[in-house]
Amino acid sequence: MNAARLPSVAPEVTATLVEGLSPRLRKRLDVAVTKLAARPTHRDGDTTTIDVDDETELRLHAPGGVVAKVEDITCRCLLAPACVHRAAAACAAPAADLAPEPAEQATPEAPGPASATPPAAMLGPDAARSLGLDVAPASGPGTAPAPTTDTAANAALGLALQATPNPAPDLASPPETASPDQRAAADVLWAAGAAVLEAGVDGAGAVTQSALLRAAHTARLRNLPRAAGAALSVVTLLRAARAGDPSFRTADLVTALAELLGTAHRVGTASGAEMAAVRGRVRRPYSPDGSLRLYGLFTEPVVTDSGHGGVRTWVAGADGRLFTVGDVAPGGAGRALGVADRAVRLGDSALTHRELGRAGLAVSGATVSPDGRLGAGRAVKAVTARGVTWTEPPLAALWETPPAEQAARALRSTSRYADRDGTGSDLLFLHVELLGAVREPGGTCLLALCEGGVRVRLTVTDDDPALAHRDNLALLAAAPGARLRIIGRLIPATHPRLTLLACTHPTGEGTVDLGLDRLRRADLPDPSASAHFAPPQTAGPGGSSPLYLLERRVEQTVAAGRAALGLLGDVTAETRRIRRGGLPTAAALLTALSASAAQRERDLFGRLLPADTDGFAAYWLAAARYTAAVSESLCAAAWNPMDEDPAAVPPVPVHGAAG
């Protein structure tokens, strides 16, 4: 049984069913989920039936595609309704989104109160000293870091959250702060996240996930949608990891878990505009934007891991602002290719998405979301207008900003833990000269030279053979020396790296949507040329950074849990290497994290006391947030011109008119 074939189940339904099980059945729940996943299913309208055995059926009734009530899951076994089957079915099904995105314009919500802070953990001496705090000396060499003061603990979490700027306070009215209920909800979220760190992926089974789902539901009721969404993301990724999903990446779970813990912590300390950012929004609000004159840039196919497919067309306004018009629904890559030739759902325009990527629109009554999505409400009117080439205003101005400034802007947009304000874009607009292919451990990418002598690696957005990305990149690798304008999406890395989305045609006539349009060998300057491989490249500014030693421990904690990290042994050699690399704070965090993982107190009778899960979670959060901030700094540095004198490296000229 594929989980994607089951309807989504509301988080509170799953949590209620798991909480209703006896302790004996809870121990059997993970095994029951695995067994149920192997059973056949069939759907009839809103009802999905699972054959538990030859005589027993389990039914999930999902009007609207979501199981919203406990009574909507029924079982015909002798132990029902107190059987393990109902809870197992809920745990095997996808968790329903707490706040589905509206298709049309939504009314902005009134601001509500904020989140809460968990009990802060204690900092060890090394980490505290790295932050400039005075602490009592350890009792002896090799002693594990002892708890110090709440000030030190909050300083550790302050380090973890330092990459998120605090908005300026609103002096016109008393700043908004968290209510007692929100603080309590955030405490529960923190505890549920800390339990995941304690257990690791293998130990975070259905019961642990149920606690996260209950915490997410409570946070949603307390108007904390950002934290609730982070908790749901953690559950989804835990299930993918435990199911062996090939698309799962431990780094994604690290990001989701750090977002959950960090947001829960900030609830109790944030106020004013920062509180609004920490609280988040349930729905994406669309606001009126009057009349817009839009110019098409390109269209990209969108294929998600959840089986959805479609396209997103990018357009620019007369002032350079970027907007998108999308059409994504269940269907995968096949749907993406088909939708590209369907009419855009915007006003009275008859343009297809492919055509809009090269044409123009005049829109009146426009509504726009904070991240630039154009609304398609009934009041919106749109008619076809003339487009412009990439070399004509206003589009030409997008390529005039230096690459380093564009990368810094894109990093602000893609930062893993930044407060999302919807502004900015992760797209870069570059003049490049192709140098050839470069072999990498994960495959082959295309190397290009852009302004300032910066060498950037260009990779495919999606490796699906049904899309044109992979074949087009291979053909461009056979055209070294070609000068193009490109549009790419920033990939945060210690060297300049983009996914290639669109470019000017190698012949200089028109543009190419690299996921949809297929280049031919006859389009190359030398049709007989084969792929050219550029010489090996030297590492960028962060290529030899020892930061990965701390990142590795952060990921190992998520994969194996606190106890496994405590068994990994002495980290003195690693911390020494990190200090030699100029990262003393990273070394202090690694020391504190490892010592906290191994530290267990005993009572007067020598019995082990419960582990300090809150303290360990604080260390881990500080390490996760610190590594993310340093990685982003190294990424930004990699985009700076390689020559001290920018005038020494002439800009890459681009020949031909781009259309």
Side-chain angles (χ1 to χ4, degrees), residues 439-461:
R439 291 187 177 92
E440 295 184 322
T444 301
C445 68
L446 181 61
L447 188 68
L449 179 70
C450 67
E451 182 181 344
V454 176
R455 286 174 167 80
V456 55
R457 300 189 183 203
L458 308 174
T459 65
V460 297
T461 300

Side-chain angles (χ1 to χ4, degrees), residues 151-172:
T151 302
N154 288 328
L157 292 177
L159 170 67
L161 305 174
Q162 68 179 354
T164 306
N166 295 338
D170 182 4
L171 302 179

Side-chain angles (χ1 to χ4, degrees), residues 16 22 28 39 57 82 113 195 204 241 270 275 303-304 306 317 322 325 329 349 351 392 403 426 473 498 624 652:
T16 300
S22 66
R28 296 171 49 191
R39 301 301 302 169
E57 287 185 344
M275 184 62 237
V303 180
T304 68
S306 61
L322 299 180
V325 182
S349 171
L351 291 174
E392 295 178 286
D426 57 358
L473 195 76
L498 301 175
V652 178

